[in-house]
Amino acid sequence: QVHLVESGGGLVQAGGSLRLSCAASGRTFSSYVMGWFRQAPGKEREFVATISWNTISTRYADSVKGRFTISRDNAKNTVYLQMNSLKLEDTAVYYCAASSRGRTAVRGDEYDYWGQGTQVTVSS
């Protein structure tokens, strides 16, 4: 069992930056692939980024590539999402998720555990 808690969301102007954190409970955090997803009002949840257990492999949605960076610190049981050059369309609830499938994953159904989400609002 893995319990995930996101933090770091808030209100930011377009062009600004935020760093989201996701703290995980459990001693096996380092064995999980971690991912970030988001859901905007009236839209389906979408993949944002994922990182392998050893940080070697990362994948990003085309919409955030070059602006967002996913990282993790296994010693701290935490995964991060650094978001730069934020756009209005980045406004959403951001969720972190953990997958036991051993490879980076972009589909929500490949993840076993989810956090409660943190709101990111980008204003003009």
Side-chain angles (χ1 to χ4, degrees):
Q1 188 79 9
V2 176
H3 183 58
L4 304 172
V5 179
E6 302 95 335
S7 62
L11 176 65
V12 63
Q13 285 192 323
S17 298
L18 279 176
R19 188 175 82 154
L20 305 183
S21 299
C22 174
S25 64
R27 292 175 290 180
T28 58
F29 171 78
S30 61
S31 67
Y32 285 89
V33 166
M34 298 300 295
W36 285 97
F37 290 75
R38 67 186 182 185
Q39 187 167 21
K43 295 188 177 181
E44 293 188 352
R45 182 181 61 196
E46 65 174 358
F47 166 75
V48 175
T50 181
I51 187 167
S52 61
W53 68 272
N54 56 6
T55 77
I56 290 177
S57 177
T58 58
R59 298 169 70 181
Y60 296 91
D62 288 343
S63 59
V64 307
K65 205 170 291 184
R67 300 188 298 122
F68 290 11
T69 302
I70 188 171
S71 61
R72 66 190 295 165
D73 185 337
N74 288 337
K76 295 183 178 179
N77 280 14
T78 302
V79 62
Y80 305 97
L81 185 68
Q82 178 67 44
M83 305 186 295
N84 299 328
S85 302
L86 282 161
K87 304 176 180 180
L88 296 179
E89 52 264 40
D90 294 320
T91 295
V93 177
Y94 283 72
Y95 300 90
C96 74
S99 172
S100 60
R101 285 156 177 77
R103 64 183 186 279
T104 52
V106 303
R107 295 199 329 260
D109 61 5
E110 296 180 280
Y111 288 81
D112 306 293
Y113 303 101
W114 293 83
Q116 83 291 344
T118 186
Q119 176 71 47
V120 172
T121 303
V122 183
S123 65
S124 58

